[in-house]
Amino acid sequence: MKTYQEWQALRNTISLHSDAYINGVFTPAQSGDTFDCINPTDESLLAKVASCDEADVNLATAAAKAAFKSGIWSNMAPNKRKRILQKWADLLEEHQDELALIDTLDMGKSISEMVGIDVPDSIDSLRWSAECIDKLYGEIAPTNPDNLALISREPLGVVAIITPWNYPLMMVMWKIAPALAAGNSIILKPSEKSPLSALRIAELATQAGIPDGVFNVLPGFGHTAGKALALHHDIGTLAFTGSSRVAGLLMQYAGQSNMKRVWLEAGGKSPCIVFEDCKDIQAAAKGAATAIFTNQGEVCIACSRLYVHSSIKDAFMVALLDAAKTYVPGDPLDPATKMGPMVDKAQLDTVTGFIESAIADGATLALGGVPEYRDGQGFYAKPTIFTDANHTMNFVQEEIFGPVLAVMTFDTEAEAIELANDSKYGLGASIWTNNLGRAHRVSRLLESGMVWVNTWGDGDTTVPFGGVKASGNGRDKSWHALEKYTELKNTWISLK
């Protein structure tokens, strides 16, 4: 790991791309419009980035469609396509410090987390997807001997991908790696709050040998570029990670256009349940703090609802407050920093509003409180914990996307399950118990796409990631991600 001074020195050597990437070329938005990309640590200007809209979407879609129809990627021999993606992964590894630095500058994520989690996970996702390419076999259906029924998977065509700002590189790679592995052409719209690493890896994709038009990047806003992608008739599939509100709009746009397939990973309000039989309260408290304060709470699977059995609440709160105090907001380029700034002033204001509403609703402030913003000094929030919360309070029901935790108690297993499921979301959940039967029993009853037992957030590329209810549909990672970027075809052949 580099020192703080070494990261600062590297910062002075890198150049940031700011134009859209269409058909293998960096190009300004057709309108000439740009938006400011701001460093949330010191509010300095990083770049004026091309603000794409419908005209750019049309241009990129035409290039992506032409590339797909030509077969230059979609019909490429699987092992050759695999080698190109593996070379791309090698280039990402070669430039891993640069990529880590770009995301830290762009959205405030700690450099330690970028180096230790985001960049390695992104590279692993690409390598894993590449290895799958020549291992996807078709099927033969068990028909009568007079017929042969072949079941094959084919690429979908042009796939639009809209990614969030909280894990800029990793969320991009979770989606584009399997989509490209399946043979599709891609149009990526990264969040306008953190678009810079996506533009850099597009350049590296071309360097690796991905043909022009196969991977395009359009920075821009949701109501312009995002909406145009969702309404475009030549785009067959759209994959999105972001808020549940926007996910609903994208489904509407798909229905208004060509009924394109829409895969959604949306909001979350994940519960963490600590049972009385949890033997290691210190580990559980540390896990609960990690589950809400990692990445400043800007995490879709953040466990922002904590349910502790009433018999251990006092002891648990002591351990929780001790664990939370290790999350001291600071400069994310310092390897010792565990918690950087919020991504922008708008997100800081959102967090502030929820904290103020929790106080107004009668929750008891146990740690942190309203952020003390100073103009030009970054968008820093404090690790904040409320006790005496309940489900009538808005901050308990709504996704905050910030370092704000609501602590509540329960007395029975049934009550814990009922409280955990009392949410419109169903992305992740964490259980802390030393009772194996309870771990299985409660996991089955939780309305959640993912459940962690005696941990939080663990996983790798082999397991699916996604939720239920208002948290969306479909899955990233694993074989299941490849499935959603392919189309099943049945070919029935008469042998008579």
Side-chain angles (χ1 to χ4, degrees), residues 325-363:
K325 289 173 184 175
T326 66
Y327 288 84
V328 180
D331 189 332
L333 281 184
D334 185 344
T337 297
K338 295 172 65 175
M339 185 175 172
M342 309 304 295
V343 69
D344 60 11
K345 184 61 163 56
Q347 189 60 27
L348 181 65
D349 290 343
T350 296
V351 171
T352 299
F354 276 109
I355 293 173
E356 290 172 343
S357 76
I359 294 171
D361 287 342

Tab-separated table of all heavy atoms in Angstrom, residues 325-363:
chain	number	residue	atom	x	y	z
A	325	LYS	N	-16.802	4.318	16.942
A	325	LYS	CA	-15.873	5.432	17.134
A	325	LYS	C	-14.577	5.253	16.359
A	325	LYS	O	-13.778	6.192	16.257
A	325	LYS	CB	-15.596	5.618	18.622
A	325	LYS	CG	-16.801	6.192	19.372
A	325	LYS	CD	-16.581	6.212	20.872
A	325	LYS	CE	-17.833	6.704	21.590
A	325	LYS	NZ	-17.689	6.629	23.084
A	326	THR	N	-14.343	4.064	15.808
A	326	THR	CA	-13.154	3.861	14.972
A	326	THR	C	-13.356	4.417	13.567
A	326	THR	O	-12.392	4.511	12.793
A	326	THR	CB	-12.788	2.368	14.876
A	326	THR	OG1	-13.820	1.668	14.166
A	326	THR	CG2	-12.623	1.758	16.264
A	327	TYR	N	-14.600	4.782	13.233
A	327	TYR	CA	-14.898	5.352	11.917
A	327	TYR	C	-14.854	6.879	12.024
A	327	TYR	O	-15.864	7.540	12.265
A	327	TYR	CB	-16.256	4.878	11.412
A	327	TYR	CG	-16.243	3.432	10.993
A	327	TYR	CD1	-16.421	2.417	11.935
A	327	TYR	CD2	-16.024	3.065	9.678
A	327	TYR	CE1	-16.377	1.078	11.566
A	327	TYR	CE2	-15.982	1.737	9.295
A	327	TYR	CZ	-16.159	0.757	10.249
A	327	TYR	OH	-16.112	-0.569	9.875
A	328	VAL	N	-13.656	7.408	11.861
A	328	VAL	CA	-13.444	8.850	11.970
A	328	VAL	C	-13.334	9.426	10.560
A	328	VAL	O	-12.422	9.066	9.804
A	328	VAL	CB	-12.160	9.158	12.766
A	328	VAL	CG1	-11.950	10.669	12.862
A	328	VAL	CG2	-12.233	8.521	14.152
A	329	PRO	N	-14.235	10.306	10.154
A	329	PRO	CA	-14.158	10.881	8.809
A	329	PRO	C	-12.830	11.581	8.572
A	329	PRO	O	-12.325	12.298	9.442
A	329	PRO	CB	-15.331	11.870	8.785
A	329	PRO	CG	-16.269	11.369	9.834
A	329	PRO	CD	-15.406	10.792	10.906
A	330	GLY	N	-12.255	11.356	7.400
A	330	GLY	CA	-10.973	11.978	7.089
A	330	GLY	C	-10.674	11.912	5.609
A	330	GLY	O	-11.497	11.464	4.801
A	331	ASP	N	-9.487	12.345	5.243
A	331	ASP	CA	-9.054	12.368	3.842
A	331	ASP	C	-8.971	10.928	3.331
A	331	ASP	O	-8.197	10.122	3.846
A	331	ASP	CB	-7.690	13.031	3.742
A	331	ASP	CG	-7.262	13.300	2.302
A	331	ASP	OD1	-7.706	12.557	1.402
A	331	ASP	OD2	-6.473	14.239	2.084
A	332	PRO	N	-9.746	10.569	2.311
A	332	PRO	CA	-9.761	9.188	1.837
A	332	PRO	C	-8.456	8.746	1.169
A	332	PRO	O	-8.255	7.550	0.965
A	332	PRO	CB	-10.926	9.159	0.850
A	332	PRO	CG	-11.074	10.573	0.403
A	332	PRO	CD	-10.706	11.414	1.578
A	333	LEU	N	-7.571	9.685	0.835
A	333	LEU	CA	-6.276	9.295	0.276
A	333	LEU	C	-5.299	8.840	1.360
A	333	LEU	O	-4.248	8.285	1.054
A	333	LEU	CB	-5.658	10.454	-0.508
A	333	LEU	CG	-6.213	10.691	-1.915
A	333	LEU	CD1	-5.445	11.814	-2.601
A	333	LEU	CD2	-6.149	9.423	-2.748
A	334	ASP	N	-5.647	9.055	2.611
A	334	ASP	CA	-4.839	8.551	3.717
A	334	ASP	C	-5.190	7.081	3.930
A	334	ASP	O	-6.344	6.757	4.213
A	334	ASP	CB	-5.132	9.357	4.975
A	334	ASP	CG	-4.244	8.962	6.154
A	334	ASP	OD1	-3.623	7.876	6.107
A	334	ASP	OD2	-4.193	9.737	7.127
A	335	PRO	N	-4.241	6.160	3.794
A	335	PRO	CA	-4.558	4.735	3.953
A	335	PRO	C	-5.164	4.378	5.302
A	335	PRO	O	-5.815	3.342	5.428
A	335	PRO	CB	-3.188	4.054	3.769
A	335	PRO	CG	-2.400	5.012	2.946
A	335	PRO	CD	-2.835	6.370	3.389
A	336	ALA	N	-4.975	5.225	6.310
A	336	ALA	CA	-5.539	4.947	7.631
A	336	ALA	C	-7.012	5.336	7.726
A	336	ALA	O	-7.698	4.939	8.675
A	336	ALA	CB	-4.740	5.684	8.701
A	337	THR	N	-7.514	6.097	6.772
A	337	THR	CA	-8.900	6.564	6.829
A	337	THR	C	-9.866	5.447	6.472
A	337	THR	O	-9.722	4.791	5.434
A	337	THR	CB	-9.103	7.752	5.857
A	337	THR	OG1	-8.286	8.843	6.281
A	337	THR	CG2	-10.557	8.193	5.831
A	338	LYS	N	-10.870	5.238	7.317
A	338	LYS	CA	-11.896	4.229	7.064
A	338	LYS	C	-13.175	4.847	6.512
A	338	LYS	O	-14.045	4.127	6.014
A	338	LYS	CB	-12.218	3.473	8.360
A	338	LYS	CG	-11.062	2.657	8.910
A	338	LYS	CD	-11.358	2.093	10.273
A	338	LYS	CE	-12.478	1.078	10.267
A	338	LYS	NZ	-12.673	0.452	11.606
A	339	MET	N	-13.310	6.162	6.617
A	339	MET	CA	-14.567	6.810	6.233
A	339	MET	C	-14.271	8.166	5.611
A	339	MET	O	-13.739	9.056	6.259
A	339	MET	CB	-15.455	6.963	7.473
A	339	MET	CG	-16.828	7.506	7.211
A	339	MET	SD	-17.799	7.475	8.739
A	339	MET	CE	-19.238	8.386	8.213
A	340	GLY	N	-14.589	8.314	4.342
A	340	GLY	CA	-14.365	9.564	3.636
A	340	GLY	C	-15.604	10.438	3.626
A	340	GLY	O	-16.534	10.244	4.414
A	341	PRO	N	-15.686	11.395	2.704
A	341	PRO	CA	-16.844	12.281	2.606
A	341	PRO	C	-18.004	11.630	1.859
A	341	PRO	O	-17.837	10.625	1.176
A	341	PRO	CB	-16.293	13.465	1.816
A	341	PRO	CG	-15.271	12.832	0.911
A	341	PRO	CD	-14.638	11.740	1.729
A	342	MET	N	-19.180	12.225	1.985
A	342	MET	CA	-20.300	11.847	1.144
A	342	MET	C	-19.988	12.276	-0.289
A	342	MET	O	-19.131	13.125	-0.524
A	342	MET	CB	-21.600	12.515	1.611
A	342	MET	CG	-21.911	12.332	3.096
A	342	MET	SD	-21.974	10.606	3.623
A	342	MET	CE	-23.382	10.005	2.707
A	343	VAL	N	-20.683	11.703	-1.241
A	343	VAL	CA	-20.312	11.909	-2.647
A	343	VAL	C	-20.483	13.350	-3.101
A	343	VAL	O	-19.713	13.842	-3.923
A	343	VAL	CB	-21.114	10.953	-3.565
A	343	VAL	CG1	-22.586	11.331	-3.603
A	343	VAL	CG2	-20.521	10.913	-4.965
A	344	ASP	N	-21.493	14.067	-2.567
A	344	ASP	CA	-21.696	15.461	-2.960
A	344	ASP	C	-22.568	16.162	-1.925
A	344	ASP	O	-23.043	15.556	-0.954
A	344	ASP	CB	-22.288	15.586	-4.369
A	344	ASP	CG	-23.659	14.915	-4.526
A	344	ASP	OD1	-24.269	14.532	-3.502
A	344	ASP	OD2	-24.116	14.774	-5.669
A	345	LYS	N	-22.769	17.447	-2.125
A	345	LYS	CA	-23.550	18.247	-1.169
A	345	LYS	C	-24.998	17.785	-1.114
A	345	LYS	O	-25.621	17.790	-0.035
A	345	LYS	CB	-23.491	19.721	-1.569
A	345	LYS	CG	-24.187	20.671	-0.594
A	345	LYS	CD	-23.588	20.639	0.786
A	345	LYS	CE	-23.988	21.863	1.626
A	345	LYS	NZ	-25.429	22.057	1.746
A	346	ALA	N	-25.542	17.377	-2.245
A	346	ALA	CA	-26.932	16.918	-2.260
A	346	ALA	C	-27.107	15.699	-1.359
A	346	ALA	O	-28.093	15.600	-0.614
A	346	ALA	CB	-27.362	16.596	-3.688
A	347	GLN	N	-26.169	14.747	-1.418
A	347	GLN	CA	-26.272	13.565	-0.574
A	347	GLN	C	-26.055	13.917	0.901
A	347	GLN	O	-26.708	13.362	1.785
A	347	GLN	CB	-25.272	12.504	-1.018
A	347	GLN	CG	-25.442	11.152	-0.347
A	347	GLN	CD	-26.813	10.537	-0.605
A	347	GLN	OE1	-27.452	10.817	-1.631
A	347	GLN	NE2	-27.264	9.706	0.308
A	348	LEU	N	-25.148	14.836	1.165
A	348	LEU	CA	-24.951	15.295	2.541
A	348	LEU	C	-26.226	15.936	3.078
A	348	LEU	O	-26.610	15.701	4.229
A	348	LEU	CB	-23.795	16.296	2.593
A	348	LEU	CG	-23.457	16.837	3.980
A	348	LEU	CD1	-22.936	15.731	4.888
A	348	LEU	CD2	-22.431	17.976	3.878
A	349	ASP	N	-26.893	16.719	2.258
A	349	ASP	CA	-28.148	17.348	2.679
A	349	ASP	C	-29.231	16.305	2.932
A	349	ASP	O	-30.050	16.450	3.853
A	349	ASP	CB	-28.623	18.342	1.622
A	349	ASP	CG	-27.746	19.587	1.537
A	349	ASP	OD1	-26.980	19.833	2.483
A	349	ASP	OD2	-27.827	20.298	0.512
A	350	THR	N	-29.253	15.252	2.117
A	350	THR	CA	-30.221	14.171	2.335
A	350	THR	C	-29.991	13.507	3.690
A	350	THR	O	-30.938	13.271	4.457
A	350	THR	CB	-30.104	13.126	1.213
A	350	THR	OG1	-30.465	13.725	-0.027
A	350	THR	CG2	-31.011	11.934	1.476
A	351	VAL	N	-28.749	13.191	3.990
A	351	VAL	CA	-28.408	12.576	5.276
A	351	VAL	C	-28.783	13.509	6.419
A	351	VAL	O	-29.373	13.082	7.433
A	351	VAL	CB	-26.912	12.220	5.318
A	351	VAL	CG1	-26.499	11.780	6.718
A	351	VAL	CG2	-26.602	11.127	4.305
A	352	THR	N	-28.480	14.783	6.271
A	352	THR	CA	-28.818	15.769	7.294
A	352	THR	C	-30.320	15.792	7.557
A	352	THR	O	-30.764	15.818	8.712
A	352	THR	CB	-28.339	17.169	6.864
A	352	THR	OG1	-26.924	17.157	6.713
A	352	THR	CG2	-28.726	18.220	7.896
A	353	GLY	N	-31.099	15.760	6.494
A	353	GLY	CA	-32.546	15.786	6.640
A	353	GLY	C	-33.083	14.587	7.408
A	353	GLY	O	-33.982	14.724	8.261
A	354	PHE	N	-32.535	13.406	7.146
A	354	PHE	CA	-32.986	12.211	7.856
A	354	PHE	C	-32.587	12.264	9.336
A	354	PHE	O	-33.346	11.825	10.203
A	354	PHE	CB	-32.424	10.954	7.201
A	354	PHE	CG	-33.242	10.467	6.036
A	354	PHE	CD1	-32.765	10.574	4.737
A	354	PHE	CD2	-34.492	9.897	6.239
A	354	PHE	CE1	-33.519	10.112	3.666
A	354	PHE	CE2	-35.249	9.440	5.172
A	354	PHE	CZ	-34.763	9.547	3.877
A	355	ILE	N	-31.400	12.767	9.632
A	355	ILE	CA	-30.984	12.891	11.032
A	355	ILE	C	-31.898	13.860	11.770
A	355	ILE	O	-32.336	13.592	12.906
A	355	ILE	CB	-29.514	13.345	11.107
A	355	ILE	CG1	-28.591	12.244	10.581
A	355	ILE	CG2	-29.133	13.709	12.547
A	355	ILE	CD1	-27.135	12.660	10.462
A	356	GLU	N	-32.206	14.972	11.132
A	356	GLU	CA	-33.098	15.953	11.767
A	356	GLU	C	-34.490	15.383	11.978
A	356	GLU	O	-35.136	15.639	13.009
A	356	GLU	CB	-33.156	17.219	10.905
A	356	GLU	CG	-31.845	18.008	10.919
A	356	GLU	CD	-31.831	19.153	9.932
A	356	GLU	OE1	-32.678	19.162	9.000
A	356	GLU	OE2	-30.976	20.050	10.070
A	357	SER	N	-34.971	14.576	11.030
A	357	SER	CA	-36.302	13.981	11.188
A	357	SER	C	-36.312	12.942	12.299
A	357	SER	O	-37.298	12.825	13.033
A	357	SER	CB	-36.765	13.357	9.875
A	357	SER	OG	-36.113	12.130	9.614
A	358	ALA	N	-35.219	12.200	12.453
A	358	ALA	CA	-35.140	11.216	13.534
A	358	ALA	C	-35.192	11.901	14.888
A	358	ALA	O	-35.878	11.429	15.822
A	358	ALA	CB	-33.847	10.406	13.392
A	359	ILE	N	-34.481	13.011	15.030
A	359	ILE	CA	-34.512	13.769	16.281
A	359	ILE	C	-35.912	14.303	16.536
A	359	ILE	O	-36.440	14.213	17.656
A	359	ILE	CB	-33.480	14.909	16.230
A	359	ILE	CG1	-32.057	14.333	16.169
A	359	ILE	CG2	-33.632	15.834	17.435
A	359	ILE	CD1	-30.981	15.373	15.904
A	360	ALA	N	-36.535	14.858	15.489
A	360	ALA	CA	-37.883	15.415	15.634
A	360	ALA	C	-38.906	14.346	15.992
A	360	ALA	O	-39.875	14.617	16.712
A	360	ALA	CB	-38.289	16.116	14.341
A	361	ASP	N	-38.689	13.114	15.512
A	361	ASP	CA	-39.634	12.026	15.795
A	361	ASP	C	-39.425	11.385	17.161
A	361	ASP	O	-40.184	10.492	17.547
A	361	ASP	CB	-39.525	10.941	14.707
A	361	ASP	CG	-40.129	11.386	13.387
A	361	ASP	OD1	-40.911	12.354	13.396
A	361	ASP	OD2	-39.820	10.768	12.350
A	362	GLY	N	-38.383	11.794	17.878
A	362	GLY	CA	-38.205	11.313	19.239
A	362	GLY	C	-37.181	10.221	19.438
A	362	GLY	O	-37.056	9.676	20.542
A	363	ALA	N	-36.423	9.876	18.402
A	363	ALA	CA	-35.355	8.894	18.589
A	363	ALA	C	-34.257	9.511	19.454
A	363	ALA	O	-34.048	10.724	19.450
A	363	ALA	CB	-34.793	8.461	17.249
